[in-house]
């Protein structure tokens, strides 16, 4: 038990230490999110997705990425945001997870830019209350007057611990 | 400096050869215990020498366990213990971290020598493979003079090359065999099974050399390898007159031989030529990752081409020349695609040949009589699967020969042909590769297996099992450990090992057996990477691929053919047969173009031998597809076997017909 606790502590410390760096930012329902650029393999226009039966709603299906079949997740649905019509700007961001051999595509409203964040730009995620843990948030960054939510994409796509971000933000009345 | 990777691969080889030997010899035979435990001690010493002390310790313990158990345990327990210990060691060896195994820089060696030796290794391997195949041909038909010539030539080549590289021990054996074959060629010696035994033993000896040279081209081979005196004397013994039991047959056969030797029957020559061709194919080793990449890229190219072809400008063009040029390009691309697809598949034939050898050696060793019949040798499998398959197949064949087949006397008493029949067949079946090992021996004894499972606490006495569930028990670990099952005419030795291997391949095994008439073990392997012919069907906006071999027929029903049963299940009446109907759109939750059967297409297929109909919107065409795994995220979706890239670059899901019906 003890060793378990300390290892969690360590990993969260390293996580915080390593937060500075380049992030790819994108929009979801007019909110700005960022994921570490090292996880991003490529960005592609939305393409026809083959639905796979018996999968969660956020899993839109699979696509052909140069001969490989990869799953695609709609982040709006994953975060409990309302689904919208896809626009020409809707993109698939292909990410590489640490513990997964396969790459995964995530659908976002619009890819914004790559920003270079310093340690000072990044704040810890506000405390959402005792009962709620938000393990998939790395922190919040303020860039040119807007707040960007930094995601730990590994945990976002690890379905088990997900709680809708929308509810969390509403509960805490955080304005972005 | 010791090169760890060399040590590793040499250890691997050693372990493999021990495993092979335990397969061939009866592991529980008398006096063998000391031998295996000594082999493992040697293994341990070598591992220690290579700095792999953990592995050495494991091997030492295994050796002690075997030594200890052999003295006290009943035979059955001991036989499977060896299998298990060997498997453990193999796993331990595989788990040695890559960093340890990384080759340290090679010592200053003469590169040229290495190259020459590796050339020799390649060439000798081809020769030895060809020889083994030819010997088995000769074993069936000793008058196949053309085959004798071929074997003679191959040994001659090996001798020449070995002499050049100063591999005297190799040269000496090859020379002696060549002399014997020379006599046979001149019809002064008839090729009896005893002669073939010795020649095969020589092939094995040379193969051990090749393995040694491959793992350590410049190292000093172990003394055991250098010592070929007993083998050479065995070979020479064949020629010393009087003492050789086969010699007196020589005269009898001579006249016959001369006649058949003059014009060799055309069919046989063809066979020999084709075998020789197989053996002589030149090859290059390629990283499979590169191959996979190539396959993917070719797929992209085909798709890009189809995009060009369907471009609006292209469609409207009046230029016949342009159309023709494009067509030519298409045919080239298609050819490239076909070739690349076939590159990572290998026929299962060579593996079957190994099994033929195993059956021969085993039956001779234990005094049974069996013919081996391979079918479907041309079936192509992914390379990795073929490699992984060797071990479980060996165990099953051994099991069939050892425990399945009766002795000739018993067979005659049971009114059977004294010569047993072992069949090995491979085919594609319902999206998987099916490999069957059947024998016409005594079959599995359901009652005894059941009782034994109860006695071992695997099931409760009241358990209600079907035959196949009951037979499945023999694959459970711990089933065969208490006493040898063959003594009570059940089966089971080493079967849990088979199961372990198959789990690794994500395959499964089923048994059909009739008491007194034989047993069939059916292995079903996933065809990761295998290519299938698929029927592309459309449902709503989605497309699915149904494996062609699962399809019996396709039809558009007329009104009244489909009726409901109890308002729920639907059936179709086709030529007086009533088949259940499965609406694929309902199974997969898709909005179809039409829910009326008259506006849809029915695909008649089957699951577990029972035919049924799948309803789809339309047929879109036939396509050869590479099966891609959907990955861990979608592992347990019933009714979906995998995915494939369709002609336009989109992904189509492959329907698992059995799963759809079961859902």
């Amino acid at each position: 038990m003890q060793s378990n606790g300390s290892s969690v502590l360590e990993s969260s410390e390293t996580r915080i230490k390593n937060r500075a760096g380049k992030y790819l930012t994108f929009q979801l329902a007019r909110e700005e999110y960022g994921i570490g650029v090292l996880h991003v393999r490529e960005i592609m226009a939305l393409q026809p997705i083959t639905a796979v039966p018996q999968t969660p709603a956020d899993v839109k299906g699979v696509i052909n990425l140069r001969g490989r079949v990869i799953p695609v997740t709609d982040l709006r649905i994953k975060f409990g945001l309302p689904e919208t019509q896809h626009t020409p700007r809707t993109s698939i961001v292909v990410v590489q997870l640490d513990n997964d051999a396969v790459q995964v595509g995530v659908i976002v409203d619009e890819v914004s830019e790559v920003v270079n964040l310093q340690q000072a730009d990044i704040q810890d995620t506000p405390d959402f209350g005792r009962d709620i843990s938000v393990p998939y948030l790395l922190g919040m960054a303020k860039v040119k007057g807007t707040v960007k939510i930094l995601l730990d994409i590994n945990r976002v796509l690890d379905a088990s611990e997900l709680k809708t971000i929308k509810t969390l933000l509403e509960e805490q009345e955080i304005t972005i | 400096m010791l090169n760890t990777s060399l040590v590793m691969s040499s250890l691997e080889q050693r372990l493999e050869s021990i495993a092979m030997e335990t397969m061939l010899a009866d592991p529980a035979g008398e006096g063998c215990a000391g031998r295996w435990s000594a082999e493992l001690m040697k293994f341990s010493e070598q591992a220690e020498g290579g700095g792999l002390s953990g592995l050495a310790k494991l091997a030492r313990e295994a050796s002690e366990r075997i030594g200890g158990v052999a003295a006290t345990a009943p035979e059955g327990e001991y036989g499977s213990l060896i299998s298990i210990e060997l498997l453990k060691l193999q796993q331990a060896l595989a788990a040695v971290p890559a960093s340890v195994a990384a080759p340290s820089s090679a010592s200053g060696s003469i590169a040229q020598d290495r190259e020459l030796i590796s050339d020799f290794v390649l060439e000798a391997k081809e020769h030895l493979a060809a020889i083994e195949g030819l010997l088995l041909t000769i074993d069936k038909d000793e008058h196949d003079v053309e085959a004798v010539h071929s074997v003679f030539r191959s040994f001659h080549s090996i001798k020449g090359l070995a002499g050049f590289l100063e591999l005297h021990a190799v040269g000496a054996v090859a020379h002696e065999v060549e002399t014997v074959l020379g006599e046979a060629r001149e019809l002064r010696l008839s090729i009896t099974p005893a002669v073939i035994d010795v020649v095969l033993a020589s092939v094995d000896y040379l193969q051990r050399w090749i393995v040694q040279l491959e793992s350590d081209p410049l190292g000093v081979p172990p003394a055991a390898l250098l010592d070929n005196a007993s083998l050479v004397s065995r070979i020479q013994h064949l020629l010393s007159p009087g003492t050789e039991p086969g010699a007196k047959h020589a005269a009898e056969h001579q006249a016959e031989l001369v006649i058949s030797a003059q014009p060799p029957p055309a069919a046989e020559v063809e066979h020999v030529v084709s075998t020789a061709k197989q053996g002589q194919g030149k090859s290059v080793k390629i990283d499979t990752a590169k191959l996979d990449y190539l396959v993917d890229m070719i797929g992209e190219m085909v798709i890009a081409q189809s995009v060009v072809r369907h471009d609006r400008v292209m469609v409207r063009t009046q230029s016949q020349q342009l159309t023709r040029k494009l067509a030519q390009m298409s045919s080239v691309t298609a050819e490239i695609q076909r070739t690349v697809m076939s590159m990572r598949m290998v026929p299962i034939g060579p593996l079957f040949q190994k099994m033929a050898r195993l059956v021969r050696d085993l039956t001779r060793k234990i005094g049974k009589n069996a013919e081996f019949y391979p079918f479907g040798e041309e079936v192509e499998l992914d390379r990795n699967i073929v490699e992984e398959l060797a071990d479980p197949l060996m165990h099953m064949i051994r099991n069939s020969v050892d425990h399945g087949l009766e002795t000739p006397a018993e067979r005659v008493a049971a009114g059977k042909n004294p010569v047993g029949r072992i069949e090995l067949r491979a085919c594609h079946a319902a999206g998987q590769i099916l490999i069957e090992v059947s024998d016409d021996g005594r079959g599995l004894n359901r009652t005894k297996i059941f009782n034994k499972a109860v006695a071992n606490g695997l099931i409760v006495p009241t358990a209600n099992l079907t035959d196949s569930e009951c037979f499945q028990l023999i694959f459970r670990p711990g089933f065969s450990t208490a006493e040898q099952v063959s003594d009570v005419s059940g089966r089971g030795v080493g079967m849990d090992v088979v199961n372990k291997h198959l789990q690794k391949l994500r395959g499964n095994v089923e048994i059909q057996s009739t008491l007194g008439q034989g047993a069939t073990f059916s292995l079903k392997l996933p065809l990761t990477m295998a290519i299938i012919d698929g029927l592309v069907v459309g449902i709503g906006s989605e497309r699915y691929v149904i494996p062609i071999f699962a399809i019996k027929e396709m039809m558009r029903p007329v009104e009244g053919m489909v009726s409901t049963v109890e308002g729920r299940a639907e059936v179709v009446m086709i030529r007086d047969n009533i088949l259940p109907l499965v609406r694929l759109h309902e199974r997969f939750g898709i909005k179809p173009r039409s829910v009326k059967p008259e506006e849809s297409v029915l695909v008649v297929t089957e699951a577990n031998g029972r035919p049924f109909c799948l309803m789809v919107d339309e047929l879109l065409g036939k396509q050869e597809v590479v099966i891609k795994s959907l990955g861990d995220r979608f592992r347990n979706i019933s009714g979906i076997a995998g995915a494939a890239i369709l002609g336009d670059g989109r992904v189509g899901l492959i329907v698992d017909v059995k799963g759809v019906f079961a859902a």
Side-chain angles (χ1 to χ4, degrees), chain B residues 28-62:
Chain B
E30 224 171 287
C32 283
R35 191 165 146 219
W36 306 138
S37 109
E39 288 279 358
L40 285 174
M41 270 327 259
K42 273 191 230 156
F43 176 89
S44 154
E45 278 159 23
Q46 195 179 351
E48 190 79 62
L52 303 164
S53 46
L55 199 63
K57 185 162 167 277
L58 274 179
R60 213 163 37 241
E61 286 167 2

mmCIF file of all heavy atoms in Angstrom, chain B residues 28-62:
data_model
loop_
_atom_site.group_PDB
_atom_site.id
_atom_site.type_symbol
_atom_site.label_atom_id
_atom_site.label_comp_id
_atom_site.label_asym_id
_atom_site.label_seq_id
_atom_site.Cartn_x
_atom_site.Cartn_y
_atom_site.Cartn_z
ATOM 1 N N ALA B 28 9.523 -41.059 -21.705
ATOM 2 C CA ALA B 28 9.426 -41.808 -20.460
ATOM 3 C C ALA B 28 10.103 -43.169 -20.558
ATOM 4 O O ALA B 28 9.970 -44.002 -19.686
ATOM 5 C CB ALA B 28 7.954 -41.971 -20.091
ATOM 6 N N GLY B 29 10.799 -43.360 -21.673
ATOM 7 C CA GLY B 29 11.426 -44.661 -21.886
ATOM 8 C C GLY B 29 12.489 -44.960 -20.855
ATOM 9 O O GLY B 29 12.944 -44.097 -20.114
ATOM 10 N N GLU B 30 12.897 -46.189 -20.858
ATOM 11 C CA GLU B 30 13.842 -46.635 -19.846
ATOM 12 C C GLU B 30 15.202 -45.955 -20.038
ATOM 13 O O GLU B 30 15.670 -45.799 -21.164
ATOM 14 C CB GLU B 30 14.030 -48.144 -19.981
ATOM 15 C CG GLU B 30 14.025 -48.860 -18.653
ATOM 16 C CD GLU B 30 13.996 -50.350 -18.898
ATOM 17 O OE1 GLU B 30 12.936 -50.854 -19.299
ATOM 18 O OE2 GLU B 30 15.039 -50.968 -18.713
ATOM 19 N N GLY B 31 15.787 -45.540 -18.965
ATOM 20 C CA GLY B 31 17.144 -45.003 -19.038
ATOM 21 C C GLY B 31 17.227 -43.619 -19.642
ATOM 22 O O GLY B 31 18.301 -43.052 -19.741
ATOM 23 N N CYS B 32 16.094 -43.082 -20.074
ATOM 24 C CA CYS B 32 16.129 -41.775 -20.724
ATOM 25 C C CYS B 32 16.258 -40.658 -19.709
ATOM 26 O O CYS B 32 16.803 -39.606 -20.000
ATOM 27 C CB CYS B 32 14.880 -41.551 -21.569
ATOM 28 S SG CYS B 32 14.965 -42.438 -23.118
ATOM 29 N N ALA B 33 15.754 -40.917 -18.519
ATOM 30 C CA ALA B 33 15.727 -39.869 -17.510
ATOM 31 C C ALA B 33 17.105 -39.266 -17.318
ATOM 32 O O ALA B 33 17.276 -38.055 -17.351
ATOM 33 C CB ALA B 33 15.230 -40.450 -16.197
ATOM 34 N N GLY B 34 18.087 -40.127 -17.151
ATOM 35 C CA GLY B 34 19.444 -39.659 -16.940
ATOM 36 C C GLY B 34 19.886 -38.798 -18.099
ATOM 37 O O GLY B 34 20.534 -37.774 -17.920
ATOM 38 N N ARG B 35 19.473 -39.205 -19.290
ATOM 39 C CA ARG B 35 19.923 -38.509 -20.484
ATOM 40 C C ARG B 35 19.370 -37.081 -20.525
ATOM 41 O O ARG B 35 20.105 -36.129 -20.728
ATOM 42 C CB ARG B 35 19.458 -39.298 -21.698
ATOM 43 C CG ARG B 35 20.086 -38.834 -22.967
ATOM 44 C CD ARG B 35 19.885 -39.864 -24.061
ATOM 45 N NE ARG B 35 19.730 -39.194 -25.314
ATOM 46 C CZ ARG B 35 18.882 -39.567 -26.245
ATOM 47 N NH1 ARG B 35 18.095 -40.611 -26.041
ATOM 48 N NH2 ARG B 35 18.815 -38.917 -27.374
ATOM 49 N N TRP B 36 18.051 -36.960 -20.297
ATOM 50 C CA TRP B 36 17.482 -35.604 -20.368
ATOM 51 C C TRP B 36 18.081 -34.726 -19.290
ATOM 52 O O TRP B 36 18.385 -33.560 -19.508
ATOM 53 C CB TRP B 36 15.963 -35.642 -20.205
ATOM 54 C CG TRP B 36 15.266 -36.554 -21.156
ATOM 55 C CD1 TRP B 36 14.238 -37.391 -20.863
ATOM 56 C CD2 TRP B 36 15.536 -36.739 -22.551
ATOM 57 N NE1 TRP B 36 13.868 -38.082 -21.983
ATOM 58 C CE2 TRP B 36 14.647 -37.715 -23.022
ATOM 59 C CE3 TRP B 36 16.459 -36.189 -23.437
ATOM 60 C CZ2 TRP B 36 14.633 -38.145 -24.336
ATOM 61 C CZ3 TRP B 36 16.458 -36.621 -24.744
ATOM 62 C CH2 TRP B 36 15.548 -37.586 -25.183
ATOM 63 N N SER B 37 18.241 -35.319 -18.115
ATOM 64 C CA SER B 37 18.723 -34.465 -17.043
ATOM 65 C C SER B 37 20.173 -34.075 -17.315
ATOM 66 O O SER B 37 20.581 -32.944 -17.036
ATOM 67 C CB SER B 37 18.473 -35.145 -15.695
ATOM 68 O OG SER B 37 19.645 -35.580 -15.119
ATOM 69 N N ALA B 38 20.938 -34.966 -17.968
ATOM 70 C CA ALA B 38 22.312 -34.606 -18.329
ATOM 71 C C ALA B 38 22.314 -33.520 -19.403
ATOM 72 O O ALA B 38 23.094 -32.567 -19.341
ATOM 73 C CB ALA B 38 23.049 -35.848 -18.833
ATOM 74 N N GLU B 39 21.393 -33.646 -20.372
ATOM 75 C CA GLU B 39 21.297 -32.638 -21.434
ATOM 76 C C GLU B 39 21.032 -31.261 -20.832
ATOM 77 O O GLU B 39 21.623 -30.264 -21.224
ATOM 78 C CB GLU B 39 20.160 -32.979 -22.406
ATOM 79 C CG GLU B 39 20.421 -34.167 -23.313
ATOM 80 C CD GLU B 39 21.281 -33.785 -24.517
ATOM 81 O OE1 GLU B 39 21.623 -32.591 -24.637
ATOM 82 O OE2 GLU B 39 21.610 -34.686 -25.307
ATOM 83 N N LEU B 40 20.119 -31.256 -19.865
ATOM 84 C CA LEU B 40 19.755 -29.984 -19.257
ATOM 85 C C LEU B 40 20.906 -29.425 -18.437
ATOM 86 O O LEU B 40 21.102 -28.216 -18.365
ATOM 87 C CB LEU B 40 18.506 -30.139 -18.388
ATOM 88 C CG LEU B 40 17.213 -30.254 -19.200
ATOM 89 C CD1 LEU B 40 16.030 -30.540 -18.297
ATOM 90 C CD2 LEU B 40 16.959 -28.985 -19.998
ATOM 91 N N MET B 41 21.710 -30.314 -17.819
ATOM 92 C CA MET B 41 22.894 -29.853 -17.082
ATOM 93 C C MET B 41 23.844 -29.163 -18.036
ATOM 94 O O MET B 41 24.384 -28.097 -17.752
ATOM 95 C CB MET B 41 23.596 -31.053 -16.418
ATOM 96 C CG MET B 41 23.128 -31.410 -15.009
ATOM 97 S SD MET B 41 22.616 -30.040 -14.001
ATOM 98 C CE MET B 41 24.064 -29.810 -12.995
ATOM 99 N N LYS B 42 24.022 -29.771 -19.204
ATOM 100 C CA LYS B 42 24.920 -29.175 -20.195
ATOM 101 C C LYS B 42 24.407 -27.808 -20.608
ATOM 102 O O LYS B 42 25.162 -26.854 -20.746
ATOM 103 C CB LYS B 42 24.998 -30.083 -21.436
ATOM 104 C CG LYS B 42 26.058 -31.168 -21.332
ATOM 105 C CD LYS B 42 26.247 -31.835 -22.685
ATOM 106 C CE LYS B 42 26.192 -33.343 -22.569
ATOM 107 N NZ LYS B 42 25.809 -34.014 -23.806
ATOM 108 N N PHE B 43 23.107 -27.765 -20.806
ATOM 109 C CA PHE B 43 22.461 -26.508 -21.167
ATOM 110 C C PHE B 43 22.760 -25.456 -20.112
ATOM 111 O O PHE B 43 23.133 -24.323 -20.402
ATOM 112 C CB PHE B 43 20.955 -26.753 -21.286
ATOM 113 C CG PHE B 43 20.143 -25.519 -21.567
ATOM 114 C CD1 PHE B 43 19.908 -25.107 -22.872
ATOM 115 C CD2 PHE B 43 19.607 -24.773 -20.535
ATOM 116 C CE1 PHE B 43 19.168 -23.984 -23.129
ATOM 117 C CE2 PHE B 43 18.869 -23.640 -20.791
ATOM 118 C CZ PHE B 43 18.648 -23.244 -22.086
ATOM 119 N N SER B 44 22.629 -25.899 -18.867
ATOM 120 C CA SER B 44 22.855 -24.990 -17.756
ATOM 121 C C SER B 44 24.297 -24.481 -17.753
ATOM 122 O O SER B 44 24.552 -23.301 -17.528
ATOM 123 C CB SER B 44 22.509 -25.711 -16.461
ATOM 124 O OG SER B 44 23.217 -25.167 -15.388
ATOM 125 N N GLU B 45 25.238 -25.393 -18.028
ATOM 126 C CA GLU B 45 26.646 -24.974 -18.029
ATOM 127 C C GLU B 45 26.901 -23.940 -19.114
ATOM 128 O O GLU B 45 27.599 -22.952 -18.918
ATOM 129 C CB GLU B 45 27.549 -26.200 -18.265
ATOM 130 C CG GLU B 45 27.791 -27.002 -16.996
ATOM 131 C CD GLU B 45 28.212 -28.432 -17.315
ATOM 132 O OE1 GLU B 45 28.715 -28.682 -18.425
ATOM 133 O OE2 GLU B 45 28.013 -29.299 -16.444
ATOM 134 N N GLN B 46 26.283 -24.193 -20.265
ATOM 135 C CA GLN B 46 26.487 -23.252 -21.364
ATOM 136 C C GLN B 46 25.904 -21.878 -21.024
ATOM 137 O O GLN B 46 26.502 -20.843 -21.308
ATOM 138 C CB GLN B 46 25.839 -23.796 -22.638
ATOM 139 C CG GLN B 46 26.329 -23.066 -23.880
ATOM 140 C CD GLN B 46 25.686 -23.629 -25.146
ATOM 141 O OE1 GLN B 46 25.026 -24.652 -25.109
ATOM 142 N NE2 GLN B 46 25.885 -22.955 -26.247
ATOM 143 N N ALA B 47 24.745 -21.899 -20.388
ATOM 144 C CA ALA B 47 24.115 -20.638 -20.017
ATOM 145 C C ALA B 47 24.993 -19.895 -19.012
ATOM 146 O O ALA B 47 25.212 -18.690 -19.117
ATOM 147 C CB ALA B 47 22.731 -20.892 -19.440
ATOM 148 N N GLU B 48 25.545 -20.638 -18.048
ATOM 149 C CA GLU B 48 26.437 -20.059 -17.045
ATOM 150 C C GLU B 48 27.628 -19.415 -17.739
ATOM 151 O O GLU B 48 28.010 -18.296 -17.449
ATOM 152 C CB GLU B 48 26.898 -21.165 -16.085
ATOM 153 C CG GLU B 48 27.618 -20.689 -14.863
ATOM 154 C CD GLU B 48 26.639 -20.167 -13.811
ATOM 155 O OE1 GLU B 48 25.815 -20.960 -13.336
ATOM 156 O OE2 GLU B 48 26.727 -18.967 -13.480
ATOM 157 N N GLY B 49 28.186 -20.149 -18.681
ATOM 158 C CA GLY B 49 29.346 -19.657 -19.421
ATOM 159 C C GLY B 49 29.024 -18.386 -20.187
ATOM 160 O O GLY B 49 29.874 -17.532 -20.387
ATOM 161 N N GLY B 50 27.777 -18.273 -20.639
ATOM 162 C CA GLY B 50 27.379 -17.094 -21.391
ATOM 163 C C GLY B 50 26.947 -15.964 -20.492
ATOM 164 O O GLY B 50 26.456 -14.948 -20.966
ATOM 165 N N GLY B 51 27.104 -16.133 -19.180
ATOM 166 C CA GLY B 51 26.771 -15.063 -18.266
ATOM 167 C C GLY B 51 25.285 -14.979 -17.949
ATOM 168 O O GLY B 51 24.811 -13.985 -17.420
ATOM 169 N N LEU B 52 24.515 -15.997 -18.304
ATOM 170 C CA LEU B 52 23.078 -15.972 -18.022
ATOM 171 C C LEU B 52 22.823 -16.877 -16.833
ATOM 172 O O LEU B 52 22.268 -17.968 -16.950
ATOM 173 C CB LEU B 52 22.292 -16.456 -19.240
ATOM 174 C CG LEU B 52 22.546 -15.683 -20.526
ATOM 175 C CD1 LEU B 52 22.045 -16.433 -21.729
ATOM 176 C CD2 LEU B 52 21.892 -14.317 -20.452
ATOM 177 N N SER B 53 23.244 -16.398 -15.655
ATOM 178 C CA SER B 53 23.235 -17.297 -14.515
ATOM 179 C C SER B 53 21.819 -17.630 -14.065
ATOM 180 O O SER B 53 21.566 -18.715 -13.557
ATOM 181 C CB SER B 53 24.034 -16.697 -13.361
ATOM 182 O OG SER B 53 23.667 -15.353 -13.190
ATOM 183 N N GLY B 54 20.868 -16.701 -14.277
ATOM 184 C CA GLY B 54 19.479 -16.967 -13.906
ATOM 185 C C GLY B 54 18.941 -18.165 -14.656
ATOM 186 O O GLY B 54 18.350 -19.074 -14.087
ATOM 187 N N LEU B 55 19.215 -18.142 -15.956
ATOM 188 C CA LEU B 55 18.750 -19.216 -16.815
ATOM 189 C C LEU B 55 19.423 -20.525 -16.431
ATOM 190 O O LEU B 55 18.802 -21.588 -16.376
ATOM 191 C CB LEU B 55 19.085 -18.855 -18.261
ATOM 192 C CG LEU B 55 18.338 -19.583 -19.349
ATOM 193 C CD1 LEU B 55 16.857 -19.283 -19.258
ATOM 194 C CD2 LEU B 55 18.873 -19.183 -20.697
ATOM 195 N N ALA B 56 20.715 -20.420 -16.146
ATOM 196 C CA ALA B 56 21.483 -21.601 -15.773
ATOM 197 C C ALA B 56 20.870 -22.251 -14.538
ATOM 198 O O ALA B 56 20.748 -23.471 -14.459
ATOM 199 C CB ALA B 56 22.933 -21.213 -15.509
ATOM 200 N N LYS B 57 20.463 -21.392 -13.592
ATOM 201 C CA LYS B 57 19.900 -21.909 -12.352
ATOM 202 C C LYS B 57 18.594 -22.658 -12.640
ATOM 203 O O LYS B 57 18.375 -23.760 -12.141
ATOM 204 C CB LYS B 57 19.654 -20.736 -11.388
ATOM 205 C CG LYS B 57 19.193 -21.140 -10.018
ATOM 206 C CD LYS B 57 19.405 -19.978 -9.040
ATOM 207 C CE LYS B 57 18.682 -20.212 -7.727
ATOM 208 N NZ LYS B 57 17.266 -19.827 -7.764
ATOM 209 N N LEU B 58 17.758 -22.026 -13.481
ATOM 210 C CA LEU B 58 16.487 -22.662 -13.853
ATOM 211 C C LEU B 58 16.722 -24.040 -14.452
ATOM 212 O O LEU B 58 16.062 -25.015 -14.097
ATOM 213 C CB LEU B 58 15.766 -21.803 -14.884
ATOM 214 C CG LEU B 58 14.877 -20.681 -14.344
ATOM 215 C CD1 LEU B 58 14.272 -19.913 -15.503
ATOM 216 C CD2 LEU B 58 13.782 -21.267 -13.482
ATOM 217 N N ALA B 59 17.677 -24.090 -15.377
ATOM 218 C CA ALA B 59 17.939 -25.346 -16.077
ATOM 219 C C ALA B 59 18.429 -26.400 -15.095
ATOM 220 O O ALA B 59 18.056 -27.561 -15.161
ATOM 221 C CB ALA B 59 18.960 -25.116 -17.178
ATOM 222 N N ARG B 60 19.286 -25.930 -14.144
ATOM 223 C CA ARG B 60 19.844 -26.867 -13.173
ATOM 224 C C ARG B 60 18.716 -27.452 -12.322
ATOM 225 O O ARG B 60 18.633 -28.658 -12.098
ATOM 226 C CB ARG B 60 20.863 -26.144 -12.289
ATOM 227 C CG ARG B 60 22.004 -27.029 -11.863
ATOM 228 C CD ARG B 60 23.213 -26.248 -11.357
ATOM 229 N NE ARG B 60 22.911 -25.069 -10.610
ATOM 230 C CZ ARG B 60 23.286 -23.843 -10.977
ATOM 231 N NH1 ARG B 60 23.970 -23.655 -12.073
ATOM 232 N NH2 ARG B 60 22.976 -22.790 -10.254
ATOM 233 N N GLU B 61 17.798 -26.563 -11.910
ATOM 234 C CA GLU B 61 16.690 -27.032 -11.087
ATOM 235 C C GLU B 61 15.823 -28.009 -11.876
ATOM 236 O O GLU B 61 15.408 -29.048 -11.348
ATOM 237 C CB GLU B 61 15.845 -25.842 -10.618
ATOM 238 C CG GLU B 61 16.535 -25.034 -9.525
ATOM 239 C CD GLU B 61 15.852 -23.701 -9.307
ATOM 240 O OE1 GLU B 61 14.825 -23.441 -9.980
ATOM 241 O OE2 GLU B 61 16.357 -22.933 -8.489
ATOM 242 N N ALA B 62 15.571 -27.649 -13.144
ATOM 243 C CA ALA B 62 14.729 -28.518 -13.985
ATOM 244 C C ALA B 62 15.369 -29.894 -14.095
ATOM 245 O O ALA B 62 14.715 -30.924 -13.973
ATOM 246 C CB ALA B 62 14.548 -27.901 -15.359
#
